[in-house]
Amino acid sequence: MTQKLKVVVTDYEYYDLRYEERVLQALPDVELVKGQARTEDEVIEIAKDADGIINQYAPISAKVIEQLEKCKVISRYGVGVNTIDIPKATEKGIYVANVPDYCMDEVSDHTLALLMSWARKVVLLNQYVKNGVWDYKKGIPIHRFQTQTVGVLGFGRIPRSLVKKLIAIGFNVLVYDPYVPEDVIHEAQAEPASLEEIFRKADFVSVHIPLTDETKGLINKDLFKLAKKNLVIVNTARGPVINEQDLIEALQAGQIAGAALDVVEIEPIQPDNPLLTMDNVILTPHVAWYSEESEDEMRSKCARNVLEALQGQTPTYLVNKDVLTVLKQ
């Protein structure tokens, strides 16, 4: 008798798991366990004997991985894998997978929407009109896009999609990415620049840098001091890439003009966060990734990583490629 496979969803914020169930039904005998774990101990309790794990925000730490008895794969919803101790998973011969390509248009579109809302003062003027003030001068100054420069930090899939749209609209674009050859940036009709140069020259800075130990707090008071007073910073990447206290102080001191943020350091945003009271800040609830189509794609591909691993294949979106060497030993 074949033993039933166990796939555990450690936590999720969706109404149901219909996309995951649709993919995993290809396995002849599988039990899908739905959890809402928040702590290491809760993850261990629900996933200790799992063959595969799907993860959203719950911590898959070294402590958790050490307790996994037969897990072959950990697949994370979305792009980031900072919830998972990848070296430990690799050491134990567990595939770590993600979904890096599901929301390129959604995030770049949302970034553009935030940026253009600021450039045309849409949110600000909407507030004035609803408060009984019908006066275009409340939005002064507004400039043509062709006279403004956007600094894009990072040049992966999403920022490349964004740059195409910015160029088409007429913005001048500077790009910072030390890992991308300058000729690749030139081919996109943008200009390569250093981080400091972007903060000196840009009217808008759009953040698309992954969160790592090296990038945490990368955008801080030292860069804000270099900025033009009309600078607006847009972040649809990860909140902690920006030192939030430094950002708040720069906004309060008038060092920069504003911010448009889909992500913050602590999510959900805390009710006492000063950003909530600032008229020069636009906030959205980490929604840049979302459309009905992108959610289907992301959740289906996340489950497919698990399916492939449990069928004896290498997951399509394998993150820890070093695990292949470990598994051969």
Side-chain angles (χ1 to χ4, degrees):
M1 181 177 176
T2 305
Q3 187 174 3
K4 180 177 286 191
L5 293 169
K6 180 177 179 179
V7 175
V8 171
V9 182
T10 60
D11 58 310
Y12 61 100
E13 56 186 1
Y14 314 116
Y15 292 114
D16 55 41
L17 292 177
R18 64 187 183 278
Y19 301 121
E20 295 82 353
E21 290 166 349
R22 181 185 65 196
V23 171
L24 293 172
Q25 70 182 1
L27 292 168
D29 198 7
V30 61
E31 176 188 12
L32 183 64
V33 177
K34 307 171 185 179
Q36 290 296 356
R38 293 291 180 266
T39 67
E40 293 173 313
D41 289 341
E42 288 173 348
V43 174
I44 292 169
E45 181 179 353
I46 195 173
K48 184 177 181 180
D49 59 345
D51 297 280
I53 292 174
I54 294 174
N55 169 250
Q56 189 163 30
Y57 301 122
I60 312 294
S61 63
K63 174 184 174 182
V64 171
I65 292 169
E66 192 63 47
Q67 295 298 313
L68 299 178
E69 297 170 352
K70 55 178 180 172
C71 185
K72 292 182 173 61
V73 58
I74 302 166
S75 184
R76 187 170 189 277
Y77 289 124
V79 180
V81 287
N82 50 296
T83 58
I84 304 166
D85 189 317
I86 294 175
K88 188 64 178 179
T90 302
E91 177 188 321
K92 199 159 181 181
I94 299 173
Y95 293 124
V96 175
N98 65 347
V99 187
D101 60 355
Y102 75 99
C103 62
M104 291 182 291
D105 276 324
E106 283 79 6
V107 177
S108 61
D109 287 346
H110 195 83
T111 303
L112 188 61
L114 291 173
L115 193 153
M116 291 181 69
S117 293
W118 238 108
R120 292 299 307 174
K121 308 289 178 69
V122 172
V123 174
L124 177 68
L125 292 169
N126 173 68
Q127 291 170 340
Y128 274 115
V129 171
K130 287 186 174 180
N131 287 324
V133 179
W134 186 271
D135 184 357
Y136 83 91
K137 294 187 291 297
K138 293 296 184 182
I140 289 175
I142 292 176
H143 296 283
R144 288 180 178 172
F145 297 162
Q146 290 86 346
T147 69
Q148 297 182 86
T149 297
V150 180
V152 176
L153 310 186
F155 205 53
R157 291 181 177 91
I158 290 168
R160 291 184 196 205
S161 174
L162 173 65
V163 166
K164 289 180 183 178
K165 296 165 186 177
L166 291 169
I167 296 291
I169 291 169
F171 286 103
N172 303 297
V173 180
L174 301 175
V175 172
Y176 165 76
D177 193 322
Y179 302 102
V180 174
E182 290 190 357
D183 61 332
V184 174
I185 296 171
H186 282 300
E187 287 172 9
Q189 300 179 53
E191 290 295 323
S194 68
L195 202 54
E196 291 76 15
E197 185 180 3
I198 282 178
F199 272 83
R200 288 191 185 98
K201 294 182 176 180
D203 302 286
F204 298 90
V205 168
S206 187
V207 181
H208 301 278
I209 297 173
L211 178 61
T212 66
D213 290 340
E214 291 74 27
T215 64
K216 185 175 182 180
L218 178 68
I219 313 304
N220 56 40
K221 60 184 177 183
D222 294 331
L223 291 172
F224 295 137
K225 287 176 182 177
L226 301 175
K228 298 192 290 187
K229 289 189 180 297
N230 66 308
L231 175 71
V232 173
I233 190 158
V234 182
N235 189 5
T236 53
R238 289 290 182 269
V241 172
I242 300 176
N243 184 309
E244 195 166 285
Q245 186 56 41
D246 287 357
L247 172 63
I248 290 167
E249 290 175 5
L251 290 164
Q252 290 171 335
Q255 280 184 318
I256 63 173
L261 309 172
D262 187 54
V263 289
V264 291
E265 273 193 5
I266 299 174
E267 296 179 7
I269 193 168
Q270 301 300 293
D272 60 348
N273 192 314
L275 295 169
L276 290 168
T277 65
M278 295 181 178
D279 292 336
N280 57 343
V281 175
I282 300 172
L283 295 164
T284 56
H286 203 146
V287 70
W289 64 273
Y290 169 74
S291 70
E292 287 294 306
E293 295 78 12
S294 69
E295 182 175 336
D296 182 345
E297 183 180 3
M298 182 262 289
R299 291 168 56 188
S300 297
K301 286 182 173 180
C302 185
R304 197 171 301 130
N305 285 325
V306 173
L307 173 67
E308 290 168 343
L310 297 186
Q311 289 179 329
Q313 305 167 35
T314 301
T316 298
Y317 297 105
L318 181 65
V319 173
N320 59 335
K321 292 181 171 54
D322 290 346
V323 77
L324 298 173
T325 302
V326 174
L327 290 170
K328 287 178 180 177
Q329 294 174 353

